[in-house]
Amino acid sequence: MFFKSPFDNFNIFKSFEDNVLRKTVTPIEGSVVYCVLTGVEHSGIYVGGGKIVHLDGSGKVESVTPEIFLDRLDGLNQAITIYVSCDNTGYPVGSFLAASRARTEVGKKRKYSLVSKNCHQFIAGCLMDNFEIPCSTFSSLKKLTKTEIGLKDWKAWESSDYRS
């Protein structure tokens, strides 16, 4: 289901594979999205209109463009590709309710901790309407996304959708 390439630890090779050799997609409203930073994943919710709502490292909930979503850690990361939650046929899946919840949080400041009150817990809160849910790892967010919106695979977001 979650195919592991021998190059998964090398983001540039994995991004090439996912963007050139595999089908790419465009997210739908409420799709869970993520990118790989230096050694960790960063997650958000696509809310339409070319915007992703995410919790940044200062605890601020922001609505940002895909380019800004990728530009974490002041550019000191290896984020190249944004991945989109998809079903077993490779089409994007999402939750309109999660997108709506995410939009209502924009501009708010939340307690932030890299270990517990992070972007993954925020996205889980949007999916479940419970921002205290214990879901602070990307692995736990993937499991929750499977049960809540039918995640079966991750596909690369078609970069021509947002890069000029």
Side-chain angles (χ1 to χ4, degrees):
M1 239 180 275
F2 290 99
F3 175 74
K4 286 291 191 182
S5 161
F7 299 111
D8 279 357
N9 292 331
F10 302 98
N11 198 24
I12 194 163
F13 295 119
K14 180 163 176 22
S15 288
F16 175 81
E17 176 187 344
D18 291 340
N19 285 285
V20 177
L21 303 177
R22 294 180 75 200
K23 175 186 165 196
T24 57
V25 297
T26 300
I28 61 170
E29 187 176 342
S31 289
V32 174
V33 298
Y34 82 93
C35 63
V36 179
L37 304 180
T38 306
V40 298
E41 294 86 2
H42 178 60
S43 57
I45 296 255
Y46 182 71
V47 294
K51 297 292 185 170
I52 299 168
V53 172
H54 75 126
L55 179 66
D56 81 355
S58 72
K60 185 176 180 186
V61 179
E62 300 178 311
S63 177
V64 298
T65 64
E67 294 92 339
I68 292 172
F69 182 76
L70 285 168
D71 189 27
R72 303 288 86 209
L73 308 173
D74 296 321
L76 298 175
N77 66 64
Q78 56 178 336
I80 299 169
T81 301
I82 299 173
Y83 293 92
V84 178
S85 55
C86 291
D87 65 16
N88 61 341
T89 63
Y91 288 96
V93 292
S95 163
F96 293 110
L97 282 173
S100 177
R101 291 178 192 122
R103 280 191 293 272
T104 64
E105 295 296 310
V106 171
K108 294 181 181 177
K109 186 87 167 164
R110 305 181 68 80
K111 282 188 171 185
Y112 181 84
S113 163
L114 185 60
V115 180
S116 62
K117 304 263 185 200
N118 56 26
C119 60
H120 308 315
Q121 184 191 33
F122 173 73
I123 300 310
C126 292
L127 289 169
M128 300 294 296
D129 196 20
N130 174 3
F131 289 95
E132 297 306 316
I133 189 166
C135 183
S136 59
T137 65
F138 186 64
S139 176
S140 60
L141 179 60
K142 283 195 302 190
K143 287 177 187 170
L144 181 68
T145 305
K146 283 180 182 183
T147 60
E148 290 303 310
I149 62 173
L151 168 74
K152 296 291 184 199
D153 197 8
W154 296 98
K155 299 283 184 192
W157 185 341
E158 174 57 53
S159 62
S160 65
D161 286 351
Y162 60 87
R163 289 194 173 133
S164 38

